[in-house]
Amino acid sequence: MLELIDLRNKNKDFELDNLRDRELKVSKKVLDSVNHIIESVKDKKDTAIKEFTTRFDKVFIEKFEIPQETFKECLEEVEEDFLKALIEAKNNIYNYHKYQKSNGYFMTDKDGVFKGQRVIPLEKVGVYVPGGSASYPSSVLMNVVPAKIAGVSEIIMVTPPTKDGVLNKYVAAAAYIAGVDRVFTVGGAQAIAALAYGTETIPKVDKIVGPGNIYVATAKRLVYGIVDIDMIAGPSEILVIADENANPDYIAGDLLSQAEHDSLSSAILVTTSKKIYDKVCLSIQNQIINSPRKSIIEESLKNYGKAFLCNNLEECIKLSNRIAPEHLEIMTEKPMELLDEVKNAGSVFLGYYTPEAVGDYFGGTNHVLPTNGTSRFFSPLSVDSFIKKSSFLYYSKEALSLHGNKIIELAEKEGLDAHANSIRLRL
Amino acid sequence: MLELIDLRNKNKDFELDNLRDRELKVSKKVLDSVNHIIESVKDKKDTAIKEFTTRFDKVFIEKFEIPQETFKECLEEVEEDFLKALIEAKNNIYNYHKYQKSNGYFMTDKDGVFKGQRVIPLEKVGVYVPGGSASYPSSVLMNVVPAKIAGVSEIIMVTPPTKDGVLNKYVAAAAYIAGVDRVFTVGGAQAIAALAYGTETIPKVDKIVGPGNIYVATAKRLVYGIVDIDMIAGPSEILVIADENANPDYIAGDLLSQAEHDSLSSAILVTTSKKIYDKVCLSIQNQIINSPRKSIIEESLKNYGKAFLCNNLEECIKLSNRIAPEHLEIMTEKPMELLDEVKNAGSVFLGYYTPEAVGDYFGGTNHVLPTNGTSRFFSPLSVDSFIKKSSFLYYSKEALSLHGNKIIELAEKEGLDAHANSIRLRL
């Protein structure tokens, strides 16, 4: 079920192209449709939003905004166990992310020079929360809590309306607990357009975050630059490094927890033990027999499920660094000893008792992570995703007369005459 | 010369669309050409690079790499005054940016939980340095110094060859001083493609930074995701807030230092004093008479030069926040008193003796800044541009058994059965 690639005792290399080429291709039809939606919302604002909501969500809505009292009421409607777990998860996320808050700095130089960097929260942020059959309260927490810590003034959530035009109760409870300021039941590309350009009722924001379907993702890509966006989440992946003492059932369970997302998901085992590989394959077969998501899992494993055999753990980590997975589990006796060698991974799960699901829901680290090999250069969503920096510089008259000629020298070498002149005038 | 918009004593609003709509449109022809170049380089690597260099740079080059000794030798060839100024600028940039280096953090929780965030430098970074008639040693310093501080292992510079196939001596001197590891005389879209995909001689990098012409910018946009890129630099702008005591010649000089860049540049005066406006216009006319870049300046001012009259400085700042300029000069008696109100600006230049050119070349703050209104959400280039973060999480067996049921509860509400099961297996 997992294609085996044996990299032991060989100079054999493995081409990553097949694993990388998982991006959902945007068809011309989707692109045209999204472009049309964006232009319509830019032009006709709320009128367009109502039209698209009627057409796509099959529900006519006159007033999109859900008052805070309404989503506060959902706290009463959800099961107590769920609410307790949700609040504890929120606290863990808060406590982990609060250390990411950074300060500006300031420095002085001789002759009356001072300069520095300020850290300024984004003013308004839009959070997209997908609707449909499933609901994702965990996604609300992961996107909103860091924005709150950053100091964003207004967090605006948009989510497709349910068939009766209201809000999913689990999502509503998460929005209230996380501290969302305003909620609108608008979804799809029209919601992204509204947040990017503003309508009579929906405010224009500075950044849009949150996952969505291909229409939402395409819309985010198209409005990038008008507003900032988080990364475009690609298909998800897990890589499990396992030594010979790891429990094959745990490994199989964790690989499946990734494969169940969708057929583009990738689940990869990297191990030093052929025995472990054999047992994992067997366990996968046993575990999926009764899985409600069996067909998704089978397709995903067939296309993007792999297992690699390496000579030692060092080689395992090196291969993982090349693949640069979103989620990396290190199921070995002493996982901390390997952490320094891990260069490219969105989030690392250490030891036998930290399946990825702990981080997806509860542990406190963020589950919005760089996918598809981009952990080589991208970072998890964090408080930094909701701030911007701005530098400042002050030169006294004395400082400028002391250094002015050097600045003129540098400007002239670049042929920028008016730059040099702006200094010359003051000397 | 500067169109006047009087916002005093009126409910008059000003639409920013005209100022915003300055992006260089990428023609189908450019896009097709860049796509072809990228595909060729991906496919034929160095062979393609040689062909394109012969075709576009009119020079045949067998070996693209310039050995370090060669660019060290340029230190002897440049004028002493230039070299001194360059080294001092580099030291200022280093001293300002070193405070941006951030550390990871680590936290422990009850029952054997630990978690944290690591900060990891990017491994390889490519720096594009434009060629042509002008050379931009300052751009080398601004892009390379923060990458060095971040701890990037290998910094690879690419720059178009001069007609005799060698390196511009000022750029070479800056590269040596800044600490560039390897230099290749390759330019254009083919250089970007080489850095994104790697060739036999040019290494694949994790991120590409640095400005370039429309071909370079388009290539960067197309390889984004394969590698990270810095922002696509748009047309540049300056906004000067001036009180009645500001010197009109200084203001005019600074506006011109922006307008000389290109015809899409925008220079904006925001003032409380009609008298200042009149004098600035007069001074501009006097100053450009002998300017070698007169025609660029005239076109840029005609299209995107504006002056706004406001009732007071608070209104000036509010307008500036809406425009969100790349460069903001506050030419008032007590500029520090206004800084807190500034929410959107790439870099702020305070007082009468800090023209933008100080920051462009010498002061130490970075001159790679968010353009065209994007300082609402983007930041100056910094040490953070050359690192990525990675989180880690460890749960002990005890911690998982204590919290496992809550995680199962949350996963089940989202309908992700295998997620829940990966916990259940371990309990």
Side-chain angles (χ1 to χ4, degrees):
Chain A
M1 202 138 216
L2 291 176
E3 184 197 352
L4 181 69
I5 297 138
D6 192 343
L7 299 176
R8 295 173 306 181
N9 312 320
K10 282 180 203 171
N11 284 325
K12 199 178 157 186
D13 199 18
F14 176 72
E15 282 293 329
L16 300 177
D17 296 358
N18 161 271
L19 281 176
R20 284 286 148 72
D21 207 17
R22 292 183 293 140
E23 284 298 340
L24 224 54
K25 299 288 179 289
V26 179
S27 70
K28 174 107 179 27
K29 203 182 138 205
V30 169
L31 196 64
D32 286 349
S33 162
V34 171
N35 253 322
H36 167 70
I37 293 170
I38 293 175
E39 288 307 315
S40 305
V41 172
K42 237 172 114 170
D43 188 30
K44 296 192 290 165
K45 302 183 196 285
D46 279 343
T47 311
I49 299 283
K50 281 175 199 169
E51 280 173 24
F52 290 123
T53 302
T54 308
R55 192 188 314 167
F56 298 127
D57 301 294
K58 315 285 180 213
V59 48
F60 179 78
I61 297 186
E62 183 56 43
K63 238 177 139 293
F64 292 104
E65 186 161 8
I66 306 281
Q68 269 226 354
E69 307 86 69
T70 310
F71 62 95
K72 188 180 174 183
E73 281 162 20
C74 290
L75 292 186
E76 317 279 307
E77 288 174 37
V78 299
E79 297 80 349
E80 206 185 313
D81 278 354
F82 170 79
L83 192 61
K84 270 189 179 167
L86 191 73
I87 289 172
E88 198 169 334
K90 186 247 169 181
N91 291 339
N92 287 345
I93 296 167
Y94 183 89
N95 288 327
Y96 170 79
H97 285 79
K98 72 182 179 197
Y99 293 101
Q100 294 169 350
K101 186 152 185 169
S102 60
N103 291 316
Y105 65 91
F106 177 96
M107 55 191 291
T108 50
D109 257 2
K110 274 179 290 210
D111 309 308
V113 171
F114 60 79
K115 52 196 168 193
Q117 179 176 271
R118 297 162 69 216
V119 174
I120 307 170
L122 301 187
E123 197 190 337
K124 289 181 186 171
V125 164
V127 179
Y128 189 89
V129 178
S133 49
S135 74
Y136 298 102
S138 66
S139 173
V140 177
L141 299 184
M142 293 294 179
N143 282 285
V144 174
V145 172
K148 290 297 277 189
I149 295 171
V152 171
S153 317
E154 200 170 22
I155 299 172
I156 293 138
M157 187 176 113
V158 292
T159 189
T162 58
K163 262 171 242 157
D164 38 1
V166 298
L167 209 57
N168 175 290
K169 64 182 177 181
Y170 300 112
V171 165
Y176 185 78
I177 285 170
V180 168
D181 295 289
R182 301 179 72 181
V183 175
F184 296 87
T185 50
V186 181
Q190 60 274 23
I192 303 300
L195 291 170
Y197 293 99
T199 71
E200 296 90 343
T201 58
I202 302 171
K204 175 181 168 59
V205 300
D206 299 309
K207 181 164 187 164
I208 303 173
V209 298
N213 63 19
I214 187 77
Y215 290 88
V216 171
T218 304
K220 279 169 71 180
R221 214 183 269 273
L222 290 175
V223 300
Y224 179 56
I226 304 294
V227 294
D228 190 17
I229 60 170
D230 57 351
M231 54 206 119
I232 304 276
S236 205
E237 71 259 348
I238 191 173
L239 189 151
V240 179
I241 293 176
D243 64 14
E244 64 283 2
N245 298 320
N247 183 321
D249 291 333
Y250 298 179
I251 299 172
D254 298 357
L255 294 172
L256 293 178
S257 79
Q258 194 60 46
E260 77 169 335
H261 274 297
D262 59 63
S263 59
L264 290 170
S265 286
S266 175
I268 298 169
L269 169 65
V270 181
T271 181
T272 49
S273 160
K274 173 73 164 50
K275 214 176 279 176
I276 285 284
Y277 165 73
D278 294 330
K279 288 184 185 165
V280 167
C281 288
L282 206 66
S283 183
I284 288 177
Q285 275 166 344
N286 291 332
Q287 288 189 40
I288 61 172
I289 292 172
N290 299 311
S291 169
R293 300 171 81 95
K294 192 177 175 203
S295 65
I296 295 176
I297 289 173
E298 282 180 334
E299 200 185 332
S300 139
L301 289 184
K302 190 176 136 237
N303 292 327
Y304 304 113
K306 307 269 177 235
F308 296 90
L309 278 174
C310 296
N311 286 306
N312 51 49
L313 289 174
E314 206 192 346
E315 283 181 23
C316 294
I317 298 274
K318 275 191 183 156
L319 178 65
S320 170
N321 282 338
R322 278 185 61 211
I323 294 174
E326 180 188 13
H327 307 97
L328 168 62
E329 290 189 2
I330 305 186
M331 285 213 225
T332 63
E333 282 290 347
K334 295 176 179 166
M336 278 305 282
E337 294 183 0
L338 298 170
L339 191 56
D340 184 65
E341 288 304 306
V342 175
K343 301 301 180 195
N344 305 326
S347 195
V348 186
F349 303 86
L350 298 161
Y352 301 133
Y353 292 92
T354 321
E356 186 206 310
V358 180
D360 287 342
Y361 289 108
F362 192 79
T365 52
N366 210 293
H367 79 197
V368 183
L369 299 168
T371 57
N372 208 13
T374 58
S375 62
R376 270 169 55 227
F377 40 80
F378 288 153
S379 304
L381 194 76
S382 72
V383 173
D384 285 343
S385 310
F386 299 101
I387 60 100
K388 66 206 173 191
K389 290 163 270 179
S390 174
S391 56
F392 61 90
L393 186 59
Y394 175 91
Y395 265 54
S396 68
K397 188 173 179 180
E398 292 67 36
L400 193 72
S401 48
L402 211 60
H403 302 291
N405 282 323
K406 303 168 202 165
I407 302 172
I408 292 170
E409 173 70 24
L410 293 169
E412 284 181 339
K413 282 287 177 301
E414 297 195 357
L416 291 173
D417 184 71
H419 281 65
N421 207 46
S422 74
I423 306 288
R424 227 179 263 118
L425 281 166
R426 286 164 164 97
L427 293 185
Chain B
M1 202 137 217
L2 292 177
E3 183 198 354
L4 182 68
I5 298 137
D6 191 343
L7 299 176
R8 296 173 306 181
N9 311 320
K10 280 179 206 174
N11 285 323
K12 199 178 156 186
D13 198 21
F14 175 72
E15 282 292 328
L16 300 176
D17 296 357
N18 161 272
L19 281 176
R20 285 285 150 74
D21 207 17
R22 290 183 291 139
E23 285 297 339
L24 223 54
K25 298 287 178 287
V26 179
S27 70
K28 174 103 178 32
K29 203 180 137 203
V30 169
L31 195 65
D32 287 348
S33 163
V34 171
N35 253 322
H36 166 71
I37 293 170
I38 292 176
E39 288 306 315
S40 305
V41 172
K42 238 172 112 169
D43 188 31
K44 296 193 290 167
K45 302 182 196 286
D46 279 344
T47 311
I49 298 283
K50 281 175 198 170
E51 279 173 26
F52 290 122
T53 301
T54 307
R55 191 186 318 166
F56 299 126
D57 301 295
K58 315 284 180 214
V59 48
F60 178 78
I61 296 184
E62 183 54 43
K63 237 177 140 295
F64 293 104
E65 185 159 9
I66 306 281
Q68 267 224 354
E69 308 84 70
T70 310
F71 62 93
K72 187 179 175 183
E73 280 162 21
C74 290
L75 291 186
E76 317 277 308
E77 288 173 36
V78 299
E79 297 82 348
E80 205 184 316
D81 278 353
F82 170 79
L83 192 59
K84 270 191 180 167
L86 192 72
I87 290 172
E88 198 168 338
K90 186 249 169 179
N91 292 338
N92 286 346
I93 295 166
Y94 183 88
N95 288 327
Y96 170 78
H97 284 79
K98 72 181 177 197
Y99 292 101
Q100 293 169 350
K101 184 150 187 172
S102 60
N103 290 318
Y105 65 92
F106 178 98
M107 57 192 290
T108 50
D109 257 0
K110 273 180 291 213
D111 308 307
V113 171
F114 61 79
K115 51 196 169 191
Q117 180 176 268
R118 298 162 67 216
V119 174
I120 307 171
L122 301 187
E123 197 191 334
K124 290 181 184 171
V125 164
V127 179
Y128 190 90
V129 179
S133 48
S135 73
Y136 298 101
S138 65
S139 173
V140 177
L141 300 184
M142 293 293 179
N143 282 286
V144 174
V145 172
K148 290 297 277 189
I149 295 171
V152 171
S153 319
E154 199 170 24
I155 299 171
I156 294 139
M157 187 176 115
V158 292
T159 188
T162 59
K163 261 170 243 157
D164 38 2
V166 298
L167 207 57
N168 174 292
K169 64 181 177 182
Y170 300 112
V171 165
Y176 185 78
I177 286 170
V180 168
D181 295 290
R182 301 179 71 182
V183 176
F184 295 88
T185 51
V186 181
Q190 60 274 21
I192 303 300
L195 291 171
Y197 293 100
T199 72
E200 297 88 343
T201 58
I202 302 171
K204 174 180 170 59
V205 300
D206 299 308
K207 181 163 185 164
I208 303 173
V209 298
N213 63 19
I214 187 78
Y215 290 89
V216 171
T218 304
K220 280 169 69 180
R221 214 183 269 273
L222 290 175
V223 300
Y224 178 56
I226 305 294
V227 294
D228 191 19
I229 59 170
D230 58 351
M231 54 206 121
I232 304 276
S236 205
E237 71 260 348
I238 192 173
L239 188 150
V240 179
I241 293 177
D243 65 13
E244 64 283 3
N245 297 320
N247 183 322
D249 291 332
Y250 298 179
I251 300 172
D254 298 356
L255 294 173
L256 294 177
S257 79
Q258 194 60 48
E260 78 170 334
H261 275 298
D262 59 64
S263 58
L264 290 170
S265 287
S266 176
I268 298 169
L269 169 65
V270 181
T271 181
T272 49
S273 159
K274 174 72 163 54
K275 212 177 277 175
I276 285 284
Y277 165 74
D278 293 332
K279 287 184 184 166
V280 167
C281 288
L282 206 66
S283 182
I284 286 176
Q285 275 167 345
N286 290 332
Q287 288 190 40
I288 61 170
I289 291 173
N290 298 314
S291 169
R293 300 172 79 95
K294 193 177 175 202
S295 65
I296 295 176
I297 290 172
E298 282 180 335
E299 200 185 333
S300 139
L301 289 184
K302 188 173 139 245
N303 292 328
Y304 303 111
K306 306 271 176 235
F308 296 89
L309 279 174
C310 297
N311 286 306
N312 51 50
L313 289 174
E314 207 193 346
E315 283 182 23
C316 294
I317 299 274
K318 275 189 182 158
L319 178 66
S320 169
N321 282 339
R322 278 185 61 210
I323 294 174
E326 179 188 13
H327 306 97
L328 168 62
E329 290 188 2
I330 305 186
M331 286 213 224
T332 63
E333 283 289 347
K334 295 175 180 166
M336 278 304 282
E337 295 183 0
L338 298 170
L339 191 56
D340 184 64
E341 288 303 306
V342 175
K343 301 299 179 194
N344 305 326
S347 196
V348 186
F349 303 85
L350 299 160
Y352 301 134
Y353 291 93
T354 321
E356 186 206 306
V358 179
D360 287 342
Y361 289 108
F362 192 79
T365 51
N366 209 293
H367 79 195
V368 182
L369 298 168
T371 57
N372 208 16
T374 59
S375 61
R376 269 169 54 228
F377 41 80
F378 288 153
S379 304
L381 194 75
S382 72
V383 173
D384 285 344
S385 310
F386 299 101
I387 59 100
K388 67 206 172 192
K389 289 164 272 180
S390 175
S391 56
F392 61 91
L393 186 60
Y394 175 90
Y395 265 53
S396 68
K397 189 173 179 182
E398 292 67 37
L400 193 71
S401 47
L402 211 61
H403 302 291
N405 282 322
K406 302 168 202 164
I407 302 172
I408 292 170
E409 171 70 25
L410 293 168
E412 284 182 340
K413 282 288 178 296
E414 298 197 356
L416 291 173
D417 183 70
H419 281 64
N421 206 46
S422 73
I423 306 288
R424 228 179 262 120
L425 281 166
R426 287 166 163 96
L427 292 185

